[in-house]
Amino acid sequence: LFSVNEHCFSEVYNPTLDPNNPFCRQLPRNQQLGFADRPTITYVNSGKRVVEGVDFSFNWAAGMSDMGLESIPGRLSLGLSANYSIRDLRQSASDSPLQDYTGLALFGNFPWQTFTTLGYSVGSFNTSIAWRHYAAVDNFARRDNPDTSTQGIHSYNIYDLSLGYAIGPTVLIRG
């Protein structure tokens, strides 16, 4: 909606402030009262997004006996994936400039994040614990106003525990 308003009411995008501009037509007026009515937003891919980053993934698994622990049955596994955003540029419409959203809180865009899972299985039983770490991000309002007092999101962690038991080859109970 912000992009529609900007492209209708800004002389940068609508130099004559023409009410028949395609963006202005999405902002109808109540003909009886003159107030703004519900906007008729259309979603089209008229802009673009340029994203660059680095992804890393590592997976390992071994039987306990392979690690010299013959007296302990089962298998241990470890998975790690991480990604780092180098840049995230977005353009809301084809005539808008590319804007840098790198490291700003918007649509789940984190400068970096990690996902780690440690698992153990033996016979029909399996369990795993997963750790998701998300880095801190600034509020996207800081892009236009570096002095804003609007807070971003502090780094945080989420932990997940899962248990599973296979009853035969086709039924698995998970919790």
Side-chain angles (χ1 to χ4, degrees):
L1 187 57
F2 172 78
S3 179
V4 172
N5 280 311
E6 182 180 32
H7 279 77
C8 175
F9 298 115
S10 170
E11 291 182 54
V12 172
Y13 302 108
N14 186 2
T16 62
L17 298 176
D18 179 4
N20 292 315
N21 170 300
F23 290 95
C24 294
R25 286 196 308 259
Q26 295 180 42
L27 301 169
R29 294 263 177 214
N30 181 306
Q31 296 302 310
Q32 295 173 338
L33 303 173
F35 297 115
D37 212 339
R38 292 181 181 211
T40 54
I41 306 298
T42 57
Y43 295 96
V44 295
N45 291 326
S46 62
K48 68 178 175 181
R49 187 169 179 194
V50 178
V51 179
E52 292 178 4
V54 177
D55 295 326
F56 170 81
S57 181
F58 170 80
N59 293 293
W60 170 86
M64 300 303 276
S65 61
D66 295 334
M67 295 183 288
L69 302 169
E70 289 82 9
S71 62
I72 302 174
R75 186 169 187 78
L76 192 64
S77 63
L78 176 69
L80 169 68
S81 65
N83 57 39
Y84 174 76
S85 294
I86 295 170
R87 70 180 186 153
D88 181 0
L89 306 177
R90 299 175 189 209
Q91 179 186 48
S92 59
S94 60
D95 59 349
S96 298
L98 279 168
Q99 295 181 322
D100 190 358
Y101 284 91
T102 308
L104 301 177
L106 184 70
F107 308 115
N109 181 44
F110 293 89
W112 62 273
Q113 54 196 350
T114 60
F115 304 92
T116 306
T117 304
L118 178 64
Y120 175 75
S121 62
V122 60
S124 297
F125 172 79
N126 67 68
T127 185
S128 66
I129 185 164
W131 168 36
R132 295 179 276 167
H133 176 78
Y134 297 93
V137 289
D138 282 331
N139 187 289
F140 73 93
R142 194 170 297 281
R143 184 198 72 213
D144 298 324
N145 179 8
D147 297 325
T148 185
S149 61
T150 306
Q151 296 291 309
I153 301 170
H154 297 286
S155 67
Y156 65 98
N157 300 292
I158 298 174
Y159 300 93
D160 303 298
L161 174 66
S162 73
L163 302 168
Y165 188 78
I167 303 173
T170 58
V171 178
L172 175 66
I173 299 173
R174 292 197 69 97

